[in-house]
Amino acid sequence: MALAQSNEEPAKELDVSARESWVDTSMDVRAGDSIQFSASGSLTIGQGRTAGPQGAPRGFRDLIKSYPVNEAGQGALIGRIGNSDAAVPFLIGASRQVQIPRAGRLFLGVNKANNDQPVGSFHVKLEFLSRDRKSTRLN
């Protein structure tokens, strides 16, 4: 049974460019919120390779690089809560429902190493499936 979308939070759509480190969604999330992500688009990640929001399989050369989400493919759509370098990123991919673990600002990005130069963008739709009403303050 699917949860109804919250009336107070309409769906939001935005583009995530591969050139930017992290894109601010302008959404403050609360611990316990449930968000459905869906993404489309593609990136050119070099050497004639392309990747969709799920990312490209990591090849031999990629295995020695450090990525924000090492278990995810190169160029995958990722997210994190908070703008601190200590914020733990997570895989979103093409479609994923995420239960938010803590309050903070939601950022989206691309799984890439510092020296990677992917080109392109993903179009992302975010919908609140449920919204925690207990906590309205950010920590």
PDB file of all heavy atoms in Angstrom, residues 111-127:
ATOM      1  N   ASN A 111      28.355  10.691  -8.015  1.00  0.00           N
ATOM      2  CA  ASN A 111      29.414   9.866  -7.444  1.00  0.00           C
ATOM      3  C   ASN A 111      30.640   9.928  -8.362  1.00  0.00           C
ATOM      4  O   ASN A 111      30.674   9.282  -9.408  1.00  0.00           O
ATOM      5  CB  ASN A 111      28.913   8.424  -7.300  1.00  0.00           C
ATOM      6  CG  ASN A 111      29.697   7.631  -6.297  1.00  0.00           C
ATOM      7  OD1 ASN A 111      30.103   8.147  -5.264  1.00  0.00           O
ATOM      8  ND2 ASN A 111      29.904   6.356  -6.591  1.00  0.00           N
ATOM      9  N   LYS A 112      31.619  10.735  -7.952  1.00  0.00           N
ATOM     10  CA  LYS A 112      32.810  10.928  -8.784  1.00  0.00           C
ATOM     11  C   LYS A 112      33.999  11.226  -7.896  1.00  0.00           C
ATOM     12  O   LYS A 112      33.864  11.727  -6.780  1.00  0.00           O
ATOM     13  CB  LYS A 112      32.601  12.071  -9.779  1.00  0.00           C
ATOM     14  CG  LYS A 112      32.338  13.411  -9.117  1.00  0.00           C
ATOM     15  CD  LYS A 112      32.084  14.511 -10.119  1.00  0.00           C
ATOM     16  CE  LYS A 112      31.811  15.822  -9.392  1.00  0.00           C
ATOM     17  NZ  LYS A 112      31.648  16.935 -10.289  1.00  0.00           N
ATOM     18  N   ALA A 113      35.182  10.917  -8.408  1.00  0.00           N
ATOM     19  CA  ALA A 113      36.431  11.249  -7.720  1.00  0.00           C
ATOM     20  C   ALA A 113      36.749  12.721  -7.991  1.00  0.00           C
ATOM     21  O   ALA A 113      36.213  13.330  -8.931  1.00  0.00           O
ATOM     22  CB  ALA A 113      37.559  10.353  -8.219  1.00  0.00           C
ATOM     23  N   ASN A 114      37.624  13.291  -7.180  1.00  0.00           N
ATOM     24  CA  ASN A 114      37.970  14.707  -7.328  1.00  0.00           C
ATOM     25  C   ASN A 114      38.507  15.057  -8.703  1.00  0.00           C
ATOM     26  O   ASN A 114      38.269  16.149  -9.202  1.00  0.00           O
ATOM     27  CB  ASN A 114      38.984  15.117  -6.259  1.00  0.00           C
ATOM     28  CG  ASN A 114      38.372  15.179  -4.886  1.00  0.00           C
ATOM     29  OD1 ASN A 114      37.164  15.337  -4.735  1.00  0.00           O
ATOM     30  ND2 ASN A 114      39.202  15.040  -3.873  1.00  0.00           N
ATOM     31  N   ASN A 115      39.231  14.152  -9.350  1.00  0.00           N
ATOM     32  CA  ASN A 115      39.813  14.453 -10.660  1.00  0.00           C
ATOM     33  C   ASN A 115      38.929  14.019 -11.831  1.00  0.00           C
ATOM     34  O   ASN A 115      39.286  14.220 -12.981  1.00  0.00           O
ATOM     35  CB  ASN A 115      41.213  13.845 -10.787  1.00  0.00           C
ATOM     36  CG  ASN A 115      41.204  12.336 -10.660  1.00  0.00           C
ATOM     37  OD1 ASN A 115      40.213  11.750 -10.222  1.00  0.00           O
ATOM     38  ND2 ASN A 115      42.304  11.717 -11.020  1.00  0.00           N
ATOM     39  N   ASP A 116      37.762  13.408 -11.573  1.00  0.00           N
ATOM     40  CA  ASP A 116      36.831  13.051 -12.647  1.00  0.00           C
ATOM     41  C   ASP A 116      36.166  14.318 -13.188  1.00  0.00           C
ATOM     42  O   ASP A 116      35.909  15.256 -12.433  1.00  0.00           O
ATOM     43  CB  ASP A 116      35.734  12.105 -12.129  1.00  0.00           C
ATOM     44  CG  ASP A 116      36.257  10.701 -11.847  1.00  0.00           C
ATOM     45  OD1 ASP A 116      37.368  10.371 -12.301  1.00  0.00           O
ATOM     46  OD2 ASP A 116      35.543   9.952 -11.162  1.00  0.00           O
ATOM     47  N   GLN A 117      35.882  14.329 -14.492  1.00  0.00           N
ATOM     48  CA  GLN A 117      35.266  15.493 -15.135  1.00  0.00           C
ATOM     49  C   GLN A 117      34.063  15.063 -15.976  1.00  0.00           C
ATOM     50  O   GLN A 117      34.059  15.257 -17.200  1.00  0.00           O
ATOM     51  CB  GLN A 117      36.297  16.191 -16.022  1.00  0.00           C
ATOM     52  CG  GLN A 117      37.551  16.594 -15.310  1.00  0.00           C
ATOM     53  CD  GLN A 117      37.589  18.067 -15.043  1.00  0.00           C
ATOM     54  OE1 GLN A 117      36.995  18.850 -15.744  1.00  0.00           O
ATOM     55  NE2 GLN A 117      38.309  18.447 -14.007  1.00  0.00           N
ATOM     56  N   PRO A 118      33.040  14.454 -15.355  1.00  0.00           N
ATOM     57  CA  PRO A 118      31.878  14.038 -16.143  1.00  0.00           C
ATOM     58  C   PRO A 118      31.127  15.244 -16.706  1.00  0.00           C
ATOM     59  O   PRO A 118      31.213  16.346 -16.170  1.00  0.00           O
ATOM     60  CB  PRO A 118      31.020  13.261 -15.146  1.00  0.00           C
ATOM     61  CG  PRO A 118      31.431  13.786 -13.812  1.00  0.00           C
ATOM     62  CD  PRO A 118      32.871  14.193 -13.942  1.00  0.00           C
ATOM     63  N   VAL A 119      30.393  15.004 -17.797  1.00  0.00           N
ATOM     64  CA  VAL A 119      29.616  16.054 -18.451  1.00  0.00           C
ATOM     65  C   VAL A 119      28.180  15.560 -18.545  1.00  0.00           C
ATOM     66  O   VAL A 119      27.923  14.401 -18.861  1.00  0.00           O
ATOM     67  CB  VAL A 119      30.163  16.338 -19.864  1.00  0.00           C
ATOM     68  CG1 VAL A 119      29.308  17.360 -20.591  1.00  0.00           C
ATOM     69  CG2 VAL A 119      31.614  16.796 -19.795  1.00  0.00           C
ATOM     70  N   GLY A 120      27.222  16.448 -18.276  1.00  0.00           N
ATOM     71  CA  GLY A 120      25.816  16.097 -18.371  1.00  0.00           C
ATOM     72  C   GLY A 120      25.097  16.402 -17.075  1.00  0.00           C
ATOM     73  O   GLY A 120      25.643  17.036 -16.163  1.00  0.00           O
ATOM     74  N   SER A 121      23.843  15.951 -16.993  1.00  0.00           N
ATOM     75  CA  SER A 121      23.059  16.201 -15.786  1.00  0.00           C
ATOM     76  C   SER A 121      21.949  15.165 -15.652  1.00  0.00           C
ATOM     77  O   SER A 121      21.605  14.476 -16.612  1.00  0.00           O
ATOM     78  CB  SER A 121      22.472  17.607 -15.794  1.00  0.00           C
ATOM     79  OG  SER A 121      21.530  17.740 -16.843  1.00  0.00           O
ATOM     80  N   PHE A 122      21.411  15.095 -14.442  1.00  0.00           N
ATOM     81  CA  PHE A 122      20.256  14.259 -14.161  1.00  0.00           C
ATOM     82  C   PHE A 122      19.083  15.160 -13.812  1.00  0.00           C
ATOM     83  O   PHE A 122      19.257  16.197 -13.157  1.00  0.00           O
ATOM     84  CB  PHE A 122      20.517  13.319 -12.976  1.00  0.00           C
ATOM     85  CG  PHE A 122      21.608  12.323 -13.216  1.00  0.00           C
ATOM     86  CD1 PHE A 122      22.625  12.158 -12.298  1.00  0.00           C
ATOM     87  CD2 PHE A 122      21.614  11.527 -14.351  1.00  0.00           C
ATOM     88  CE1 PHE A 122      23.631  11.227 -12.501  1.00  0.00           C
ATOM     89  CE2 PHE A 122      22.614  10.597 -14.573  1.00  0.00           C
ATOM     90  CZ  PHE A 122      23.631  10.458 -13.641  1.00  0.00           C
ATOM     91  N   HIS A 123      17.894  14.771 -14.256  1.00  0.00           N
ATOM     92  CA  HIS A 123      16.667  15.458 -13.860  1.00  0.00           C
ATOM     93  C   HIS A 123      16.050  14.613 -12.751  1.00  0.00           C
ATOM     94  O   HIS A 123      15.794  13.424 -12.941  1.00  0.00           O
ATOM     95  CB  HIS A 123      15.703  15.603 -15.043  1.00  0.00           C
ATOM     96  CG  HIS A 123      14.491  16.396 -14.689  1.00  0.00           C
ATOM     97  ND1 HIS A 123      14.518  17.763 -14.545  1.00  0.00           N
ATOM     98  CD2 HIS A 123      13.230  16.002 -14.408  1.00  0.00           C
ATOM     99  CE1 HIS A 123      13.316  18.184 -14.220  1.00  0.00           C
ATOM    100  NE2 HIS A 123      12.511  17.138 -14.124  1.00  0.00           N
ATOM    101  N   VAL A 124      15.838  15.221 -11.592  1.00  0.00           N
ATOM    102  CA  VAL A 124      15.409  14.483 -10.409  1.00  0.00           C
ATOM    103  C   VAL A 124      14.071  15.013  -9.910  1.00  0.00           C
ATOM    104  O   VAL A 124      13.863  16.222  -9.814  1.00  0.00           O
ATOM    105  CB  VAL A 124      16.453  14.599  -9.273  1.00  0.00           C
ATOM    106  CG1 VAL A 124      16.057  13.746  -8.081  1.00  0.00           C
ATOM    107  CG2 VAL A 124      17.840  14.227  -9.769  1.00  0.00           C
ATOM    108  N   LYS A 125      13.174  14.079  -9.593  1.00  0.00           N
ATOM    109  CA  LYS A 125      11.888  14.408  -8.974  1.00  0.00           C
ATOM    110  C   LYS A 125      11.895  13.843  -7.559  1.00  0.00           C
ATOM    111  O   LYS A 125      12.248  12.680  -7.362  1.00  0.00           O
ATOM    112  CB  LYS A 125      10.732  13.816  -9.774  1.00  0.00           C
ATOM    113  CG  LYS A 125       9.368  14.184  -9.226  1.00  0.00           C
ATOM    114  CD  LYS A 125       8.260  13.643 -10.113  1.00  0.00           C
ATOM    115  CE  LYS A 125       6.904  14.035  -9.568  1.00  0.00           C
ATOM    116  NZ  LYS A 125       5.818  13.494 -10.411  1.00  0.00           N
ATOM    117  N   LEU A 126      11.530  14.690  -6.582  1.00  0.00           N
ATOM    118  CA  LEU A 126      11.490  14.287  -5.186  1.00  0.00           C
ATOM    119  C   LEU A 126      10.061  14.460  -4.683  1.00  0.00           C
ATOM    120  O   LEU A 126       9.453  15.515  -4.882  1.00  0.00           O
ATOM    121  CB  LEU A 126      12.400  15.182  -4.334  1.00  0.00           C
ATOM    122  CG  LEU A 126      13.853  15.303  -4.726  1.00  0.00           C
ATOM    123  CD1 LEU A 126      14.073  16.434  -5.697  1.00  0.00           C
ATOM    124  CD2 LEU A 126      14.679  15.508  -3.504  1.00  0.00           C
ATOM    125  N   GLU A 127       9.533  13.437  -4.032  1.00  0.00           N
ATOM    126  CA  GLU A 127       8.186  13.495  -3.465  1.00  0.00           C
ATOM    127  C   GLU A 127       8.206  12.981  -2.041  1.00  0.00           C
ATOM    128  O   GLU A 127       8.739  11.899  -1.784  1.00  0.00           O
ATOM    129  CB  GLU A 127       7.220  12.623  -4.266  1.00  0.00           C
ATOM    130  CG  GLU A 127       7.009  13.063  -5.694  1.00  0.00           C
ATOM    131  CD  GLU A 127       6.061  12.120  -6.413  1.00  0.00           C
ATOM    132  OE1 GLU A 127       4.844  12.348  -6.352  1.00  0.00           O
ATOM    133  OE2 GLU A 127       6.564  11.146  -7.010  1.00  0.00           O
TER     134      GLU A 127
END
